[in-house]
């Protein structure tokens, strides 16, 4: 069965909205399963790569060291890598912190904000938490990205068109209404 | 506040005098205060926002308090070669503050500034309007000591320069460094002879004579002067103006400074002749702020010329009146562009205008205006003193006459050279005593960086056209540092009006740094070249259209040093550095990154 | 009768009145040249450069360049499109344009131009500059989104011609500067005009927003410029 193209997906600093939009292809999901197989992805809950992957879909930018690690492993294991959605493409809403220093950000969120109870005033610092990056990085600033699908989220139709075009090895047909940044 | 009101009324609430008003307000209060802005806006009937816009455009205005002594240290490339770093650190040590700040005791403020026209005597600085040249750590120490004793800056000068720099009204330590006197600018000259010859002709005849001489603009662009005067004259208007562009800001040029010091009459006489030719009654000398130390002297020269009948009413006994006034910039390279200069002379931000209409059609205060370079006007005077045939006999068939060159950098004899057009770079290098030359920057930051392969090229309009800046780099110099300095210069000096120049130059600089740091690929080289061409093609004025030249001309002439820096095999290399990106998080949490990596 | 000038754009011939700019002349024959800083009725300032076109190998800004007799203009050629895209991408990278969080999304001209030119990601790294959001009576000024087009500077002035919006600083730090005193006197209509004329979401009238649902906004269905191309 290895003749079917293999797909992997991940959500980095995103909200899973792009994955939701992916599922929004509705009944075409059945068609998709005929066309491809899934490897590492929240969709099938596979945690590790089990084989070489043809198409990797990345939702979200990189806001911590773990995101970078996952993204790099995707680059290593995927032949084609796609930035899916505004956060992957340009950092998205998480990147709105990019104009503020990380220290100020954390202090505002966990120490100085009026909604923080006095006894809770502590910056989370557990060894299990990945270290935050100084700012949020669009994926293509960290690894080479082959395709970009903007949108918040990208519409199901755009995801469908892009995936089927790649799988069928034909050029994408991107109608005006398919490309939106919101 | 009373003093501000007095200043405003002395300038008769004239909007075109806004820069002068602000300058005096700053001198009176050490900054341009909120109240001063309010008072100026009300008196000139413009909004506060607009006044703030003007203040923020120019280097030498400050709406923040400054110290008793305000030091502007030049950051041009030759300054760096002459030991600027040490001087800067010494200044910071003495003042006990960083650049951009004022010392804790309020005595000294430190600023950086772009080329101040002293490239042959660097490192140079302007302190409270007074020029200090050839600075070193010892001198800095001494000057700072004098400041602590509240000594007047003028009294800190130990030795005056040569020529008119010693004049009572100048008293500057600046040196002329005239190394080669040519037949035009430094040839035989007697004030009024050329003017008398010109006034014998009809204005059209004057224009014709300039055309016959084949005089072309000496500022760098090389537009035919006769044609410019003719176009200006032909425009129907009740007023016409002559503007002398003495805003030489191109890094490495200082010839207009020397011309205005040693041959001011020749320049002013050229303005009178131009005024007669185009039908103007008023000429404006737009003097760059950095040369303010010459202003009193130049006013005195103008008064002398008035006394002798070369200026004012009924000039040379003829029915022709012409006056010259001096207006000053406040620190902005872009004001060397003629339409930006006009905006600035009108008391506005020095943003270039859209062209057409050109200044000859719609210039100062909307009237036809001819804007000519200092050297062009001086040369015009000499054409009438000695005749167009005499002039054409010099130089090459296309490029008539001589050119003043401002030579600086790695050579034995930096300074001013008046040479005939057609000289090769190789000949120039031997004339100035340059050895082991790696590169020659011709035409300043906006010009070209040439390697040895180009040293056979000729200085003339048909080959290497130039406004006269020549900066020499020997084989110990690093091309990347030179390019970096020029790119920073353009980012600093862009007016910010149009997208390619405002945004593009920052992007080019970042890409350049990626390549310089060794993280570039072949596609990075291709991209920086493509972006440079885009900025040149689509920018609104000459600044943007030449701003990528430092990268583009070194990419052409020193390609091998770029090739050495890049990784030719890689198709993608990221600047992203995980260890550096988590540094802040490590600081905030007290964690170490290495341990994380082991876990992973 | 003003003399008519002959010209052609990408091989399409036309006649237009003397005194028209290239942009205006193109409109006459139903050719759209994209503009961002230019706005009907305001004096063009040539700041965005998106309307750059090629005439005889020379690049010109069509919003400021007067048409002249016999001009042969390149508008939709690969080289012109390439440069135009690059300038739009520069603007996207230069500011902080978070479309999903912007009230102007769907009605934004910068976004619409990026859609029209099929931009999936700018070729330039995002700069993420530090910019302020300022509050004034009746409106907000979000510098993150400002593209320095100067439309507000030109369009919104006092009766005696004083500038309520003026440019401040220079180079990469150039910003729209608001005269606080004069801005306080702006009428709701003037504020509405300022917001409407702003091509992006930099000037926002307070207490209104997201008036039109997604799908019905100005550029949701039709690319910017369709209204001009639809004519003739």
């Amino acid at each position: 069965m290895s003749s079917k193209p293999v797909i992997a997906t991940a959500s980095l600093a995103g909200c899973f909205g792009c994955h939701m939009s992916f599922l929004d292809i509705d009944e075409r999901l059945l068609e998709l399963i005929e066309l491809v197989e899934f490897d590492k992805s929240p969709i099938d809950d596979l945690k590790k790569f089990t084989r070489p992957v043809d198409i990797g879909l990345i939702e979200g930018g990189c806001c911590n060291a773990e995101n970078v690690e996952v993204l790099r492993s995707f680059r290593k294991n995927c032949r084609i890598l796609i930035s899916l959605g505004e956060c992957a493409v340009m950092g998205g809403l998480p990147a709105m912190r990019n104009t503020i220093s990380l220290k100020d950000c954390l202090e505002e969120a966990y120490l100085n904000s009026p909604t923080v109870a006095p006894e809770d005033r502590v910056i989370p610092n557990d060894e299990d938490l990945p270290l935050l990056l100084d700012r949020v990085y669009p994926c293509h600033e960290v690894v080479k990205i082959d395709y970009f699908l903007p949108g918040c989220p990208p519409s199901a139709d755009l995801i469908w068109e892009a995936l089927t075009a790649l799988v069928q090895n034909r050029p994408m047909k991107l109608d005006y209404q398919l490309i939106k940044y919101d | 506040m009373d003093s501000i009101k007095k200043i405003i009324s002395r300038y008769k609430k004239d909007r075109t005098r806004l820069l002068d008003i602000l300058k005096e307000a700053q001198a009176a209060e050490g900054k341009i205060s909120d109240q001063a802005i309010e008072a100026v806006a009300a008196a000139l009937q413009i909004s506060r926002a607009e006044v703030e816009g003007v203040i923020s455009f120019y280097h030498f205005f400050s709406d923040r308090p400054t110290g008793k002594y305000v030091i502007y240290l030049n950051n041009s490339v030759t300054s760096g070669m002459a030991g600027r770093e040490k001087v800067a650190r010494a200044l910071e040590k003495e003042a006990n503050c960083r650049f951009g700040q004022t010392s804790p005791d309020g005595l000294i403020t430190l600023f950086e500034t772009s080329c101040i026209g002293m490239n042959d005597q660097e490192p140079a600085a302007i302190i409270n309007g007074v020029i200090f040249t050839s600075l070193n750590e010892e001198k800095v120490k001494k000057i700072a000591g004098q400041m602590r004793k509240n000594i007047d800056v003028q009294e800190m000068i130990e030795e005056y320069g040569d020529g008119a720099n010693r004049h009572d009204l100048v008293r500057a330590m600046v040196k002329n460094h005239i190394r080669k006197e040519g037949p035009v600018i430094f040839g035989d000259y007697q004030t009024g002879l050329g003017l008398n010859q010109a006034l014998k002709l009809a204005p059209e005849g004057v224009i014709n004579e300039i055309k016959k001489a084949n005089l072309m603009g000496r500022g760098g662009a090389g537009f035919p002067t006769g044609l410019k005067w003719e176009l200006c004259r032909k425009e129907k208007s009740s007023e016409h103006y002559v503007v002398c562009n003495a805003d030489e800001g191109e890094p490495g040029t200082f010839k207009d400074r020397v011309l205005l010091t040693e041959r001011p009459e020749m320049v002013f006489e050229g303005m009178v002749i131009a005024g007669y030719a185009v039908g103007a009654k008023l000429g404006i000398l737009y003097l760059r702020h950095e040369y303010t130390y010459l202003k009193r002297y130049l006013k005195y020269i103008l008064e002398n010329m008035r006394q002798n009948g070369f200026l004012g009413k009924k000039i040379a006994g003829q029915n022709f009146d012409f006056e010259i006034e001096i207006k000053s910039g406040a620190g902005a390279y872009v004001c060397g562009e003629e339409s930006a200069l006009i905006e600035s002379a009108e008391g506005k931000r020095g943003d270039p205008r859209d062209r057409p209409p050109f200044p000859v059609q719609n210039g100062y205060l909307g009237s036809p205006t001819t804007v000519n370079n200092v050297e062009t006007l001086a040369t015009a005077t000499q054409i009438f003193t000695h005749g167009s045939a005499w002039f054409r006999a010099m130089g090459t068939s296309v490029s008539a006459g001589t050119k003043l060159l401002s030579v600086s950098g790695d050579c034995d004899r930096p300074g001013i050279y008046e040479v005939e057009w057609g000289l090769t770079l190789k000949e120039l290098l031997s004339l100035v005593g340059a050895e082991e030359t790696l590169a020659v920057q011709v035409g300043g930051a906006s010009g070209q960086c040439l390697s040895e392969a180009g040293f056979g090229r000729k200085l003339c309009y048909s080959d290497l056209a130039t406004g006269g800046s020549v900066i020499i780099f020997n084989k110990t110099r690093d091309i990347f540092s030179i390019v970096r300095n020029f790119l920073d210069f353009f980012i600093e000096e862009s007016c910010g009006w149009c997208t390619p120049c405002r945004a593009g130059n920052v992007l080019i600089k970042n890409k350049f740094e990626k390549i310089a740091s060794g993280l570039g690929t072949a596609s990075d080289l291709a991209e920086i070249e493509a972006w440079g061409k885009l900025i040149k093609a689509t920018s609104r004025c000459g600044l943007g259209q030449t701003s990528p030249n430092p990268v583009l001309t070194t990419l052409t002439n020193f390609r091998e040093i770029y090739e050495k820096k890049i990784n030719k095999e890689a198709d993608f290399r990221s600047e992203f550095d995980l260890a550096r990106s988590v540094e802040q998080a490590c600081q905030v949490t007290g964690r170490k990154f290495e341990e994380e990596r082991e876990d992973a | 009768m003003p003399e008519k000038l002959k010209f052609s754009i990408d091989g399409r011939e036309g006649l237009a009145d003397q005194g028209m700019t290239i942009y205006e002349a193109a409109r006459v024959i139903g050719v759209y040249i994209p503009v961002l800083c230019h706005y009907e009725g305001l004096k063009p300032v040539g700041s965005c450069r998106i309307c750059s076109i090629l005439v005889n190998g020379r690049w010109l800004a069509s919003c400021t360049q007067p048409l002249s007799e016999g001009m042969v203009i390149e508008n939709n050629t690969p080289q012109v499109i390439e440069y135009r895209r690059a300038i739009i991408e520069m603007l996207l990278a230069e500011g902080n344009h978070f479309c999903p969080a912007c009230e102007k999304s769907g009605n934004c001209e910068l976004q619409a131009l990026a859609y029209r030119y099929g931009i999936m990601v700018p070729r330039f790294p995002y700069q993420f500059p530090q910019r302020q959001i300022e509050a004034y009576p009746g409106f907000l000024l979000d510098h993150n989104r400002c593209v320095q087009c100067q439309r507000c500077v030109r369009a919104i002035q006092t009766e005696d011609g004083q500038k309520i919006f003026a440019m401040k600083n220079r180079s990469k730090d150039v910003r729209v500067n608001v005269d606080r005193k004069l801005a306080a006197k702006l009428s709701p209509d003037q504020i509405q005009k300022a917001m409407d004329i702003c091509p992006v979401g930099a000037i926002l009238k307070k207490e209104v927003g997201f008036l039109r649902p997604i799908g019905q906004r100005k550029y949701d269905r039709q690319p910017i410029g369709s209204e001009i191309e639809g004519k003739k």
Side-chain angles (χ1 to χ4, degrees):
Chain A
M1 282 308 292
S2 60
S3 59
K4 278 193 197 173
V6 182
I7 289 182
T9 76
S11 180
L12 310 178
C15 67
F16 268 97
C18 299
H19 274 80
M20 291 298 152
S21 193
F22 190 1
L23 297 179
D24 257 352
I25 60 175
D26 299 332
E27 75 282 359
R28 284 172 291 186
L29 270 173
L30 300 173
E31 223 176 299
L32 185 70
I33 288 170
E34 294 300 315
L35 280 174
V36 302
E37 286 177 9
F38 279 85
D39 198 71
K40 178 180 159 69
S41 168
I43 292 174
D44 56 11
D45 212 21
L46 268 184
K47 307 289 190 206
K48 294 207 161 123
F49 285 107
T50 63
R51 55 192 148 161
V53 169
D54 294 291
I55 301 168
L57 289 164
I58 302 288
E59 167 186 346
C62 293
C63 79
N64 63 35
E66 189 200 17
N67 294 155
V68 173
E69 206 180 293
V70 173
L71 179 60
R72 283 176 173 165
S73 77
F74 263 72
R75 183 66 276 182
K76 216 177 275 173
N77 289 285
C78 304
R79 192 169 55 83
I80 295 171
L81 206 53
I82 301 177
S83 270
L84 182 68
E86 287 300 298
C87 298
V89 171
M90 59 89 63
L93 300 197
M96 290 178 91
R97 79 157 158 102
N98 283 7
T99 62
I100 305 162
S101 81
L102 180 65
K103 186 165 178 279
D104 288 350
C105 249
L106 290 170
E107 286 176 354
E108 177 64 27
Y110 295 108
L111 304 181
N112 305 328
S113 163
T115 57
V116 179
E119 63 275 18
D120 291 341
R121 281 189 188 150
V122 59
I123 292 174
N125 184 15
D126 191 290
E127 286 293 316
D128 288 339
L129 289 173
L131 282 166
L132 290 171
L133 306 183
D134 54 347
R135 63 176 177 89
V136 178
Y137 291 81
C139 292
H140 63 280
E141 289 188 18
V142 178
V143 300
K144 184 171 194 266
I145 298 288
D146 304 296
Y147 293 94
F148 298 86
L149 300 177
C152 186
S155 68
D157 288 343
L158 174 61
I159 298 171
W160 174 253
E161 168 58 24
L163 272 185
T164 48
L166 285 174
V167 167
Q168 294 161 2
N169 201 17
R170 60 169 172 86
M172 295 180 198
K173 193 171 169 297
L174 301 172
D175 291 341
Y176 176 78
Q177 292 192 39
L178 278 188
I179 308 295
K180 293 286 177 287
Y181 304 154
D182 57 3
Chain B
M1 270 315 288
D2 273 355
S3 65
I4 302 294
K5 280 188 183 139
K6 268 185 206 153
I7 294 166
I8 297 169
S9 68
R10 187 144 31 82
Y11 286 104
K12 302 188 181 76
K13 299 186 181 181
D14 181 353
R15 171 71 169 86
T16 72
R17 286 295 188 179
L18 179 55
L19 265 59
D20 300 282
I21 294 169
L22 293 172
K23 227 179 248 187
E24 291 199 23
Q26 177 161 311
E29 301 189 315
K31 65 165 182 172
I32 302 171
S33 66
D34 214 45
Q35 293 92 320
I37 294 172
E38 197 68 47
V40 169
L44 302 187
Q45 290 180 304
I46 53 179
S47 70
R48 261 194 76 110
E50 192 168 357
V51 179
E52 288 164 353
V54 173
I55 294 168
S56 61
F57 191 86
Y58 298 97
H59 282 302
F60 291 97
F61 287 142
S62 177
D63 53 8
R64 285 179 302 157
T66 52
K68 185 166 188 273
Y69 299 95
V70 185
I71 304 178
Y72 286 90
L73 180 65
N74 176 18
N75 61 14
S76 72
V77 68
T78 44
S79 180
M81 287 155 63
R84 181 189 176 281
E85 245 344 90
K86 281 185 182 166
V87 170
R89 297 297 81 80
L91 280 169
E92 287 185 332
K93 193 173 155 223
E94 292 295 332
N96 192 18
C97 70
R98 310 293 296 267
F99 273 82
Q101 298 175 340
T102 297
S103 60
D105 56 5
L107 188 69
I108 301 170
T109 302
L110 299 179
F111 286 121
E112 293 198 19
T113 191
S114 305
C115 189
I116 61 171
M118 303 290 158
N119 251 26
D120 55 340
Q121 40 209 304
E122 296 289 356
I126 305 176
I127 309 178
N128 292 6
V130 175
I131 309 282
F132 286 79
T133 60
S134 307
L135 289 168
N136 55 37
E137 287 165 292
E138 267 166 63
K139 286 186 189 172
V140 166
K141 217 174 223 176
K142 194 165 180 189
I143 290 168
Q146 290 169 316
M147 288 176 177
R148 282 189 278 270
K149 288 182 198 146
N150 280 319
I151 292 173
D152 184 78
V153 222
Q154 189 65 47
E155 305 309 317
M156 295 179 195
I157 297 176
E158 286 170 354
E159 197 185 340
Y160 298 137
D162 51 349
N165 289 303
R166 313 182 78 94
H167 193 280
D168 251 4
L169 296 172
V170 183
R171 296 201 295 147
M173 66 193 288
V174 178
K175 294 200 173 81
N176 288 326
H177 284 158
I178 300 168
R179 310 286 187 182
K180 182 172 166 35
E181 299 192 338
V184 179
I185 300 297
F186 295 110
D188 289 343
Y189 170 68
Q190 192 190 324
T191 309
L193 281 187
L195 179 59
N196 281 328
Q197 288 301 320
L199 294 192
K200 281 181 195 161
L201 304 168
E204 291 80 3
V206 170
I207 290 168
N208 229 353
E209 196 64 15
I210 290 293
K211 281 185 169 175
K212 276 204 299 206
N214 195 20
L215 175 60
M216 294 194 265
R218 263 35 179 175
F223 193 82
T225 308
L227 178 61
K228 196 181 241 186
W229 289 4
E230 184 176 44
L231 292 169
C232 183
R233 175 168 188 84
K234 276 186 177 163
E235 283 297 315
K236 287 200 170 56
S237 171
S238 61
E239 302 293 335
H240 290 71
Y241 295 100
V242 173
V243 173
C244 173
N245 184 348
D247 194 49
E248 63 170 347
E250 190 62 57
T253 174
F254 46 85
K255 49 123 187 149
D256 292 343
R257 183 245 299 160
V258 175
L259 239 174
L260 287 168
T261 308
E262 295 305 320
R263 293 285 185 273
E265 296 91 347
M266 195 188 278
V267 177
F268 292 139
E269 194 174 337
M271 288 177 74
V272 181
I273 293 169
Y276 177 71
V278 305
K281 292 190 279 293
L282 180 67
I284 295 165
L285 174 76
Y286 184 91
L287 187 67
R288 74 184 300 214
H289 174 85
E290 291 80 346
Y291 296 166
T292 304
Y293 73 98
L294 290 171
K295 201 166 169 179
R296 280 201 308 165
Y297 172 66
L298 294 173
K299 280 189 168 170
Y300 157 82
I301 297 289
L302 285 174
E303 188 47 40
N304 270 351
M305 288 178 71
R306 224 168 265 131
Q307 299 291 335
N308 293 322
F310 302 128
L311 199 63
K313 300 267 180 216
K314 299 212 174 297
I315 292 172
Q318 303 228 15
N319 197 17
F320 168 57
D321 304 342
F322 191 78
E323 255 311 327
I324 293 176
E325 59 181 50
I326 300 175
K327 287 199 166 185
S328 299
Y333 166 73
V334 71
C335 289
E337 196 279 341
E338 58 179 3
S339 66
L341 183 152
I342 289 170
E343 286 283 299
S344 180
E346 290 179 358
K348 301 182 203 155
R349 291 164 62 83
D351 291 314
R353 294 176 177 174
D354 291 300
R355 303 180 312 165
F358 294 90
V360 287
Q361 304 163 291
N362 186 342
Y364 184 65
L365 301 176
S367 296
T369 303
T370 175
V371 182
N372 295 108
N373 179 264
V374 174
E375 186 185 347
T376 311
L377 291 162
T379 305
T381 303
Q382 289 292 67
I383 287 171
F384 286 97
T385 311
H386 301 282
S388 57
W390 165 83
F391 184 75
R392 272 211 90 139
M394 291 175 281
T396 73
S397 57
V398 177
S399 315
T402 63
K403 180 75 190 90
L404 285 186
L405 302 177
S406 315
V407 179
S408 63
D410 295 315
C411 64
D412 293 340
R413 294 175 294 278
I416 296 294
Y417 292 78
E418 185 185 354
V419 301
E420 286 190 38
W421 285 115
L423 193 75
T424 64
L425 270 189
K426 199 177 265 172
E427 288 164 335
L428 179 66
L429 289 174
S430 92
L431 195 61
V432 305
E435 277 163 25
E436 292 287 297
T437 303
L438 171 71
V440 183
Q441 185 78 25
V442 179
S446 70
Q448 310 180 47
C449 187
L450 296 168
S451 64
E452 203 168 348
F455 292 174
R457 293 182 62 183
K458 284 181 176 171
L459 294 163
C460 60
Y461 290 106
S462 51
D463 188 359
L464 268 180
T466 172
S469 167
V470 177
I471 309 175
I472 299 163
F473 304 103
N474 70 23
K475 288 181 176 155
T476 68
R477 307 296 176 186
D478 168 37
I479 293 288
F480 281 114
S481 321
I482 299 164
V483 173
R484 181 175 293 121
N485 181 285
F486 289 152
L487 292 179
D488 284 338
F489 169 78
F490 283 118
I491 291 174
E492 177 69 31
E493 297 296 338
S494 163
C495 77
W497 187 288
C498 74
T499 312
C501 178
R502 180 187 69 237
N505 279 316
V506 175
L507 297 166
I508 288 243
K509 173 75 192 321
N510 293 346
K511 180 68 92 180
F512 170 80
E513 293 298 355
K514 183 186 180 189
I515 295 165
S517 71
L519 286 170
T521 62
S523 65
D524 285 317
L525 280 194
E527 280 181 5
I528 201 170
E529 201 158 10
W531 299 358
K533 285 180 182 162
L534 162 83
I535 295 171
K536 275 177 83 87
T538 56
S539 286
R540 184 164 169 264
C541 80
L543 191 155
Q545 288 158 11
T546 55
S547 59
N549 282 354
V551 163
L552 293 180
T553 65
T554 50
L555 262 174
T556 305
N557 298 325
F558 293 92
R559 186 136 200 126
E560 65 285 356
I561 64 157
Y562 286 90
E563 302 269 359
K564 252 185 237 161
K565 282 276 185 190
I566 60 163
N567 183 324
K568 283 192 177 129
E569 280 78 47
D571 68 333
F572 175 88
R573 288 178 86 193
S574 168
E575 280 178 283
F576 178 78
D577 179 340
L578 184 55
R580 206 172 53 210
S581 299
V582 295
E583 259 169 28
Q584 282 187 39
C586 291
Q587 274 165 21
V588 177
T589 59
R591 281 159 65 184
K592 284 207 174 74
F593 177 59
E594 263 67 36
E595 293 160 26
E596 291 284 319
R597 203 172 232 172
E598 279 165 15
D599 292 345
Chain C
M1 272 296 285
E3 200 189 321
K4 293 268 187 190
L5 300 176
K6 238 169 65 178
F7 67 101
S8 78
I9 301 182
D10 298 334
R12 195 157 149 190
E13 299 200 337
L15 285 172
D17 293 341
Q18 193 154 29
M20 276 188 168
T21 62
I22 292 173
Y23 167 77
E24 290 166 333
R27 273 190 86 129
V28 171
I29 60 165
V31 169
Y32 172 66
I33 300 177
V35 288
L36 185 65
C37 63
H38 184 48
Y39 192 86
E40 201 81 45
L42 298 180
K43 182 181 178 281
V45 294
S47 67
C48 75
R49 316 307 283 179
I50 290 169
C51 71
S52 292
I53 43 96
L54 260 176
V55 178
N56 263 338
R58 267 189 74 203
W59 288 92
L60 300 167
S62 59
C63 72
T64 55
Q65 187 69 33
L67 183 75
S68 50
E69 174 63 27
M71 266 187 173
V72 179
I73 299 157
E74 292 177 43
N75 179 39
N76 279 326
T77 57
Q79 200 188 357
V80 174
I81 291 173
E82 173 63 11
Y83 275 18
R84 218 169 251 171
R85 277 180 64 125
I87 295 171
I88 298 167
E89 290 173 18
M90 266 185 196
L91 287 168
L92 291 172
E94 185 193 25
N96 294 312
H97 298 283
F98 296 99
C99 296
C102 181
E103 295 90 317
K104 200 72 173 255
S105 190
N107 301 307
C108 166
E109 291 177 43
L110 176 63
Q111 187 191 56
L113 285 168
Y115 290 164
R116 184 178 167 113
Y117 286 91
I119 293 167
M120 310 296 259
V121 63
R123 71 195 71 182
F124 308 106
Y126 289 100
Q127 302 294 294
F128 297 115
Q130 247 186 341
R131 304 232 185 128
Q132 301 297 313
I133 301 174
E134 295 167 3
Y136 296 94
F139 72 99
L140 297 169
L141 177 58
D142 187 343
H143 290 284
N144 290 290
R145 301 165 181 168
C146 178
V147 289
Q148 337 301 341
C149 69
Q150 306 186 32
R151 281 190 188 175
C152 56
V153 174
R154 289 172 280 163
I156 314 293
Q157 301 188 351
T158 61
E159 274 176 28
D160 59 346
Q162 294 197 29
K163 286 181 177 164
I164 301 166
F165 299 89
M167 300 314 283
K168 194 179 177 182
N169 304 330
R170 67 181 185 196
S171 190
K172 63 187 193 310
D173 299 318
V174 78
R175 295 287 175 276
V176 167
N177 180 30
V178 180
D179 193 300
R180 214 162 252 287
K181 255 190 210 163
L182 297 179
K185 293 184 207 154
L186 284 172
S187 69
D189 281 353
Q190 278 177 302
I191 291 172
Q192 186 65 47
K193 186 180 171 194
M195 176 171 167
D196 291 343
I197 214 165
C198 178
V200 291
I203 298 176
L204 296 170
K205 196 173 176 182
K206 283 184 184 168
E207 296 170 13
V208 286
F210 302 106
L211 280 180
R212 277 197 271 177
I214 291 176
Q216 293 172 28
R217 299 169 305 181
K218 203 166 173 190
Y219 305 113
D220 278 341
R221 293 172 188 284
Q222 289 294 321
I224 189 169
S226 306
E227 67 285 358
I228 293 172
E229 289 166 322
K231 279 182 203 162
K232 296 224 166 177

